[in-house]
Amino acid sequence: MPNAIIVAHGQPSDPDPAEHALAAYAAEVDALCDGVAVTSATLAAPGAFEQRVSELPDDTVIYPLFMAKGWFVTSALPKRLAGRDLRILDPLGVDPDLPDLVADALQEKLHENQWNAQDTDLVLAAHGSGRSRNPSAVARAFADDLGRKLTFRSIRPGFVEEPPSIATAATGLPPQSLCLPFFACRGGHVLEDVPQELAAADFKGQVMPVVGELPRIKRHIGFRLSRVFEGLRNP
């Protein structure tokens, strides 16, 4: 059976919880895949990625559970393959289907609340970076794409590591507001920074699951991984 490995950054200060959470995530995706065995590893857990790669065959594909095609995906990840020529897929954040998938999840939430998008504000809580413009550029491009699919009253990107902050983006919004954490995993930023920023803004709206945890995203990743090997199984 073909193999795929889902890779995330993890939590360097406390790697085990993130490692276990990603393993549970990969198990969910594995159950959604057709004829592909899905495992996982974080880059932060010492030796975990290297050990997992050493156990997998040369036709294994790597799925980066990241929101930008930045340094970790293009540099750190290939270097840690130790010369193995494994195929690295594009990360979640640059998937061309992502805006449609998230728009569907947001529309479902709006319907559940009996809200209209035109009367609802959306805070896009993202990571950003003090060193590279790429992460915020990806988030802003996603916000633009999303705005062409759902006409919110406003879409306000805010960042953990660069201005405008999430607190700035969320300040002054009414209860009919949503916050979408533009993160692949529910790590420290989502569990600590985002709630702190929203509390500082006195945000009274509703907080969505992180993008990577949306059920339709997990189904899509399973579909993508299954499609990678379709041509090999059905020449």
Side-chain angles (χ1 to χ4, degrees):
M1 179 181 291
N3 291 267
I5 175 171
I6 296 177
V7 179
H9 182 266
Q11 191 75 21
S13 60
D14 188 14
D16 286 346
E19 187 73 16
H20 296 319
L22 186 63
Y25 187 100
E28 289 186 59
V29 174
D30 179 70
L32 296 167
C33 273
D34 180 16
V36 181
V38 182
T39 56
S40 67
T42 68
L43 298 179
F49 176 71
E50 288 79 2
Q51 177 63 35
R52 188 53 50 85
V53 166
S54 72
E55 299 167 349
L56 296 171
D58 290 338
D59 63 349
T60 298
V61 299
I62 298 174
Y63 184 84
L65 197 60
F66 286 79
M67 297 311 289
K69 196 173 183 178
W71 181 81
F72 278 106
V73 175
T74 61
S75 182
L77 190 52
K79 284 180 181 177
R80 291 181 61 171
L81 287 174
R84 297 286 302 279
D85 187 23
L86 303 187
R87 181 180 174 187
I88 301 175
L89 303 179
D90 281 340
L92 173 64
V94 299
D95 190 316
D97 293 322
L98 189 62
D100 281 320
L101 293 164
V102 173
D104 288 344
L106 286 166
Q107 186 63 66
E108 190 174 276
K109 186 65 174 176
L110 290 167
H111 179 75
E112 176 187 315
N113 290 341
Q114 297 184 336
W115 291 354
N116 292 318
Q118 295 90 335
D119 302 320
T120 305
D121 297 285
L122 176 68
V123 177
L124 189 71
H127 190 285
S129 172
R131 294 172 294 181
S132 168
R133 298 281 70 81
N134 185 52
S136 59
V138 170
R140 292 182 191 280
F142 174 81
D144 290 342
D145 287 340
L146 194 59
R148 286 188 281 271
K149 299 177 186 303
L150 279 175
T151 309
F152 283 98
R153 187 166 72 172
S154 70
I155 299 180
R156 304 183 178 195
F159 304 96
V160 173
E161 293 195 357
E162 65 179 273
S165 68
I166 296 166
T168 297
T171 294
L173 295 181
Q176 189 168 328
S177 303
L178 295 172
C179 174
L180 176 68
F182 191 68
F183 290 83
C185 303
R186 208 159 38 91
H189 289 308
V190 174
L191 296 174
E192 298 172 12
D193 296 319
V194 173
Q196 288 171 6
E197 291 285 305
L198 294 177
D202 195 25
F203 181 72
K204 293 181 171 61
Q206 298 180 16
V207 182
M208 297 281 292
V210 300
V211 167
E213 292 283 350
L214 294 170
R216 64 192 67 229
I217 297 298
K218 294 177 183 178
R219 291 195 295 271
H220 179 69
I221 293 172
F223 174 74
R224 274 197 67 193
L225 294 176
S226 297
R227 287 290 301 273
V228 167
F229 295 102
E230 269 189 3
L232 297 177
R233 292 196 300 264
N234 303 295

Tab-separated table of all heavy atoms in Angstrom, residues 1-5 35-39 55-57 59-62 229:
chain	number	residue	atom	x	y	z
A	1	MET	N	0.844	-1.200	0.000
A	1	MET	CA	0.000	0.000	0.000
A	1	MET	C	0.879	1.250	0.000
A	1	MET	O	1.864	1.314	0.739
A	1	MET	CB	-0.905	-0.004	1.236
A	1	MET	CG	-1.816	1.215	1.334
A	1	MET	SD	-2.864	1.208	2.813
A	1	MET	CE	-3.972	-0.149	2.424
A	2	PRO	N	0.541	2.266	-0.825
A	2	PRO	CA	1.313	3.508	-0.828
A	2	PRO	C	1.266	4.199	0.530
A	2	PRO	O	0.323	4.014	1.310
A	2	PRO	CB	0.621	4.357	-1.898
A	2	PRO	CG	-0.149	3.394	-2.725
A	2	PRO	CD	-0.532	2.273	-1.826
A	3	ASN	N	2.293	5.007	0.779
A	3	ASN	CA	2.407	5.676	2.066
A	3	ASN	C	2.464	7.190	1.906
A	3	ASN	O	3.037	7.713	0.944
A	3	ASN	CB	3.671	5.222	2.795
A	3	ASN	CG	3.597	3.785	3.253
A	3	ASN	OD1	3.204	3.506	4.374
A	3	ASN	ND2	3.970	2.859	2.378
A	4	ALA	N	1.900	7.882	2.888
A	4	ALA	CA	1.995	9.339	2.962
A	4	ALA	C	2.270	9.716	4.405
A	4	ALA	O	1.816	9.038	5.334
A	4	ALA	CB	0.704	9.996	2.487
A	5	ILE	N	3.010	10.790	4.584
A	5	ILE	CA	3.304	11.276	5.921
A	5	ILE	C	2.902	12.743	6.016
A	5	ILE	O	3.301	13.563	5.179
A	5	ILE	CB	4.795	11.071	6.290
A	5	ILE	CG1	5.110	11.689	7.655
A	5	ILE	CG2	5.709	11.595	5.228
A	5	ILE	CD1	6.490	11.337	8.176
A	35	GLY	N	-6.932	3.565	-0.029
A	35	GLY	CA	-5.749	2.801	-0.411
A	35	GLY	C	-4.431	3.480	-0.151
A	35	GLY	O	-3.442	3.210	-0.841
A	36	VAL	N	-4.353	4.382	0.842
A	36	VAL	CA	-3.103	5.043	1.218
A	36	VAL	C	-2.955	4.956	2.732
A	36	VAL	O	-3.897	5.233	3.472
A	36	VAL	CB	-3.081	6.524	0.785
A	36	VAL	CG1	-1.751	7.170	1.163
A	36	VAL	CG2	-3.323	6.654	-0.716
A	37	ALA	N	-1.779	4.558	3.196
A	37	ALA	CA	-1.491	4.508	4.629
A	37	ALA	C	-0.881	5.842	5.046
A	37	ALA	O	0.159	6.253	4.520
A	37	ALA	CB	-0.532	3.368	4.943
A	38	VAL	N	-1.535	6.535	5.981
A	38	VAL	CA	-1.125	7.880	6.373
A	38	VAL	C	-0.562	7.853	7.788
A	38	VAL	O	-1.211	7.378	8.724
A	38	VAL	CB	-2.307	8.865	6.312
A	38	VAL	CG1	-1.853	10.280	6.673
A	38	VAL	CG2	-2.933	8.854	4.919
A	39	THR	N	0.656	8.362	7.930
A	39	THR	CA	1.283	8.507	9.243
A	39	THR	C	1.656	9.982	9.432
A	39	THR	O	1.284	10.832	8.615
A	39	THR	CB	2.528	7.615	9.367
A	39	THR	OG1	3.435	7.932	8.303
A	39	THR	CG2	2.152	6.146	9.272
A	55	GLU	N	11.609	4.677	7.980
A	55	GLU	CA	10.761	3.480	7.966
A	55	GLU	C	9.906	3.377	6.707
A	55	GLU	O	9.248	2.351	6.504
A	55	GLU	CB	9.837	3.495	9.186
A	55	GLU	CG	10.567	3.495	10.514
A	55	GLU	CD	9.654	3.834	11.693
A	55	GLU	OE1	8.502	4.268	11.453
A	55	GLU	OE2	10.095	3.675	12.844
A	56	LEU	N	9.910	4.420	5.878
A	56	LEU	CA	8.986	4.480	4.747
A	56	LEU	C	9.701	4.275	3.423
A	56	LEU	O	10.871	4.637	3.275
A	56	LEU	CB	8.270	5.834	4.747
A	56	LEU	CG	7.363	6.079	5.975
A	56	LEU	CD1	6.864	7.518	5.996
A	56	LEU	CD2	6.187	5.106	5.967
A	57	PRO	N	9.005	3.729	2.408
A	57	PRO	CA	9.627	3.453	1.105
A	57	PRO	C	9.829	4.714	0.279
A	57	PRO	O	9.349	5.803	0.623
A	57	PRO	CB	8.624	2.508	0.432
A	57	PRO	CG	7.314	2.843	1.058
A	57	PRO	CD	7.619	3.225	2.479
A	59	ASP	N	8.608	5.701	-2.516
A	59	ASP	CA	7.471	6.316	-3.194
A	59	ASP	C	6.544	7.058	-2.218
A	59	ASP	O	5.453	7.492	-2.595
A	59	ASP	CB	6.674	5.290	-3.998
A	59	ASP	CG	6.041	4.214	-3.115
A	59	ASP	OD1	6.391	4.136	-1.911
A	59	ASP	OD2	5.205	3.448	-3.634
A	60	THR	N	6.983	7.202	-0.972
A	60	THR	CA	6.201	7.940	0.026
A	60	THR	C	6.091	9.411	-0.374
A	60	THR	O	7.040	10.000	-0.891
A	60	THR	CB	6.878	7.836	1.409
A	60	THR	OG1	6.923	6.467	1.813
A	60	THR	CG2	6.142	8.666	2.455
A	61	VAL	N	4.925	10.016	-0.136
A	61	VAL	CA	4.768	11.450	-0.357
A	61	VAL	C	4.608	12.148	0.994
A	61	VAL	O	4.111	11.561	1.960
A	61	VAL	CB	3.560	11.784	-1.266
A	61	VAL	CG1	3.726	11.171	-2.639
A	61	VAL	CG2	2.256	11.370	-0.626
A	62	ILE	N	5.063	13.381	1.044
A	62	ILE	CA	4.999	14.184	2.259
A	62	ILE	C	3.966	15.281	2.070
A	62	ILE	O	4.013	16.023	1.080
A	62	ILE	CB	6.369	14.798	2.581
A	62	ILE	CG1	7.400	13.694	2.835
A	62	ILE	CG2	6.285	15.738	3.779
A	62	ILE	CD1	8.811	14.202	3.021
A	229	PHE	N	-1.867	8.809	-5.819
A	229	PHE	CA	-1.480	7.445	-6.178
A	229	PHE	C	-2.440	6.787	-7.164
A	229	PHE	O	-2.230	5.641	-7.549
A	229	PHE	CB	-1.383	6.590	-4.916
A	229	PHE	CG	-0.283	7.025	-3.978
A	229	PHE	CD1	-0.592	7.763	-2.849
A	229	PHE	CD2	1.031	6.713	-4.239
A	229	PHE	CE1	0.410	8.173	-1.978
A	229	PHE	CE2	2.041	7.112	-3.382
A	229	PHE	CZ	1.732	7.853	-2.251
